[in-house]
Amino acid sequence: MSKQLLYFNATTEEHGAELYYLPQRGTRATLIDLVPGQEGSDPTGFTALKGQVYFSAYAPGHGHELYRLSPGSSKPTLIDIERGQESSYPHNFTVYKGQLYFAATTAANGTELYRLSSESNVPTLIDINPDRSGPDPYTLGSDPKNFVTYKGGLYFTAFTEARGEELYRLSADSSKPTVIDINPGEKSSMPGIFGDFTEYRGHLYFTADTPQSGTELYRLSPGSTKPVLIDMTPGPAGSFSNYFSGFERFDGKLYFAGFSAETGTELSYLDGASRTPTIIDINQGQAYSFPTNLTAFRGSLYFTASTEEHGTELYRLPRGSTEPILIDINPGPADSAPLDLTVFKGSLYFSANSKEHGNELYRISSGKTKPTLVDINPGTDDSSPTDFATLDGRLYFTASSHDQGRELYGLSSGSQKPSVIDINPGPADSHPREYFTL
């Protein structure tokens, strides 16, 4: 079995934004220079299909198009959807039944759905909205997005002039999606308006909007075209008009940030087939705590939430409990604002702020209430670690330091000393991003 590689996008003055890969336990990244010179190809959207990497990148004479790369190779294959200098901007890559599905734009069809097999260089167009219309003045076509596979089907949202933006289901090798019209007529229900679909206990959960109920939760059964409304706020106001944290399955329940007039937006959960969520009121009364970053880890649900007394901090909810435990990293009303909660080798890693250390990396073990600081940029200046990825027993991420700028770092389990992979040597940044392992 071949060793995995870490692929990513990074920028230097000499090469621009280009594709790089790092082997397991590697200390030096290898450049794949798609566009020689300073312009750069700016690769994005890395996705694996049958042992190969697919992504979007730019090249003079072709614009932003689809590429396929075999691991270890330095010569990607161009799959040119919009011939000539204009771009097709392929995006929203999703693998379903051994084929690659994505959205791309052409002058003839607008932004539509495409399907590509791993043996082909010619994608198949699935034209959902043949009319010269679109969801906004800047987009023509059906603009498919929010792809999710569920019970043997590919589900996604798409626009037509007759129905607005609604939910669709596509069977393998079919070119005729079935519409699931939540808001009948030409007005949109915008399913997954915040971009999150989740399967829980055999059903598909998501948000959608109607004039009668506002933006609320829905549950869809396998094969059904009639979602069930879970109306947390009866009437047209809706529960998720401005905020939704996404779903997290934990302890047999489905957790999310839910709203009620009595509690504001708080930690909520559905248990089984119930249509009545339970709310855990962290910021007592009508004040909101806005829970987010929900992450299940070793018998507890970790998340961030806000109160006037403590600011935005980390919380832990043990299995079976309805009383979250505060983990106050930056004592007082100032935020520590933990982000990017990532489980790695028996610990939970994340970034957080403090007065003494700025924005740095932290690690916490299961059941503990005091995180361990991993201080990458000593002093009060930030290292701002982001974009965590794992490869061969190491945690990789992007962070900043005075001497190396914003670069790639690797950290072994339990270590306090990350090693830097300095792509743009010296204090200049390379801004590595879009990490992907294959």
Side-chain angles (χ1 to χ4, degrees):
M1 185 176 180
S2 59
K3 292 184 177 181
Q4 284 190 314
L5 303 173
L6 180 71
Y7 291 89
F8 58 95
N9 180 333
T11 303
T12 66
E13 292 83 353
E14 182 179 359
H15 300 289
E18 279 295 350
L19 178 61
Y20 290 79
Y21 69 84
L22 184 75
Q24 293 179 354
R25 297 286 166 175
T27 58
R28 186 173 181 178
T30 298
L31 166 68
I32 300 177
D33 201 357
L34 274 70
V35 180
Q38 297 180 331
E39 189 170 12
S41 67
D42 196 22
T44 186
F46 301 115
T47 304
L49 173 63
K50 294 188 177 179
Q52 299 186 97
V53 183
Y54 289 78
F55 58 94
S56 172
Y58 168 83
H62 299 287
H64 291 265
E65 291 294 342
L66 181 62
Y67 287 82
R68 179 177 60 234
L69 179 68
S70 298
S73 172
S74 60
K75 295 181 178 180
T77 298
L78 168 65
I79 300 172
D80 203 354
I81 300 165
E82 178 76 315
R83 303 282 178 165
Q85 297 183 2
E86 296 301 319
S87 302
S88 74
Y89 298 108
H91 59 287
N92 292 339
F93 300 119
T94 301
V95 174
Y96 167 60
K97 296 290 185 179
Q99 299 189 91
L100 183 69
Y101 289 78
F102 58 95
T105 304
T106 64
N109 302 108
T111 303
E112 283 295 344
L113 179 62
Y114 288 80
R115 176 175 59 225
L116 180 71
S117 66
S118 60
E119 301 83 15
S120 175
N121 291 337
V122 182
T124 298
L125 168 66
I126 301 173
D127 197 356
I128 299 167
N129 188 27
D131 299 328
R132 299 296 294 174
S133 61
D136 59 63
Y138 309 100
T139 307
L140 298 178
S142 70
D143 192 26
K145 53 182 177 289
N146 300 328
F147 294 101
V148 60
T149 58
Y150 167 64
K151 298 299 181 182
L154 179 67
Y155 289 75
F156 58 94
T157 61
F159 172 88
T160 64
E161 191 168 13
R163 299 181 185 276
E165 186 175 320
E166 290 294 342
L167 183 62
Y168 286 78
R169 179 180 66 237
L170 183 69
S171 300
D173 298 321
S174 172
S175 295
K176 294 182 178 180
T178 299
V179 65
I180 300 170
D181 200 354
I182 300 165
N183 190 21
E186 63 183 20
K187 297 295 184 181
S188 302
S189 75
M190 296 184 290
I193 184 173
F194 298 103
D196 204 23
F197 287 77
T198 294
E199 182 179 348
Y200 167 64
R201 294 201 176 187
H203 295 86
L204 188 66
Y205 287 79
F206 57 93
T207 59
D209 180 76
T210 67
Q212 297 79 20
S213 302
T215 304
E216 290 289 353
L217 281 184
Y218 285 80
R219 180 177 67 223
L220 184 68
S221 300
S224 174
T225 58
K226 295 182 179 180
V228 174
L229 169 65
I230 300 172
D231 199 354
M232 294 185 66
T233 309
S239 300
F240 307 100
S241 299
N242 299 305
Y243 181 84
F244 184 65
S245 67
F247 299 105
E248 180 76 349
R249 295 183 296 273
F250 169 68
D251 193 23
K253 305 175 181 69
L254 184 65
Y255 284 82
F256 55 94
F259 172 86
S260 77
E262 293 76 21
T263 63
T265 299
E266 293 290 347
L267 184 64
S268 306
Y269 65 85
L270 286 168
D271 193 353
S274 173
R275 291 171 58 182
T276 305
T278 299
I279 295 179
I280 300 174
D281 196 1
I282 298 165
N283 200 6
Q284 294 291 313
Q286 296 179 333
Y288 299 14
S289 77
F290 290 120
T292 190
N293 299 305
L294 278 62
T295 305
F297 169 59
R298 292 205 167 185
S300 294
L301 179 70
Y302 289 79
F303 60 95
T304 60
S306 299
T307 66
E308 292 78 4
E309 183 179 359
H310 299 291
T312 302
E313 290 293 345
L314 185 64
Y315 286 79
R316 178 173 67 89
L317 181 70
R319 180 181 287 122
S321 174
T322 57
E323 297 183 2
I325 298 167
L326 169 66
I327 301 172
D328 201 354
I329 299 165
N330 198 16
D335 304 329
S336 76
L339 290 173
D340 292 324
L341 276 61
T342 302
V343 176
F344 171 65
K345 292 290 184 180
S347 294
L348 184 69
Y349 288 78
F350 55 93
S351 67
N353 293 294
S354 72
K355 298 174 185 176
E356 297 80 11
H357 303 288
N359 186 277
E360 287 294 345
L361 181 63
Y362 286 82
R363 176 182 66 238
I364 193 167
S365 300
S366 174
K368 302 297 183 182
T369 57
K370 187 175 182 180
T372 298
L373 168 68
V374 181
D375 200 354
I376 300 164
N377 201 15
T380 58
D381 289 340
D382 304 330
S383 75
S384 301
T386 58
D387 299 321
F388 297 103
T390 60
L391 174 66
D392 191 34
R394 286 172 66 81
L395 180 68
Y396 290 91
F397 56 93
T398 303
S400 300
S401 71
H402 298 294
D403 297 329
Q404 276 89 26
R406 191 150 187 82
E407 292 292 346
L408 173 62
Y409 283 79
L411 182 68
S412 298
S413 175
S415 174
Q416 290 292 106
K417 295 182 178 180
S419 57
V420 64
I421 294 105
D422 200 355
I423 298 158
N424 202 6
D429 305 322
S430 77
H431 293 291
R433 55 202 179 275
E434 296 267 349
Y435 296 123
F436 177 76
T437 58
L438 179 64

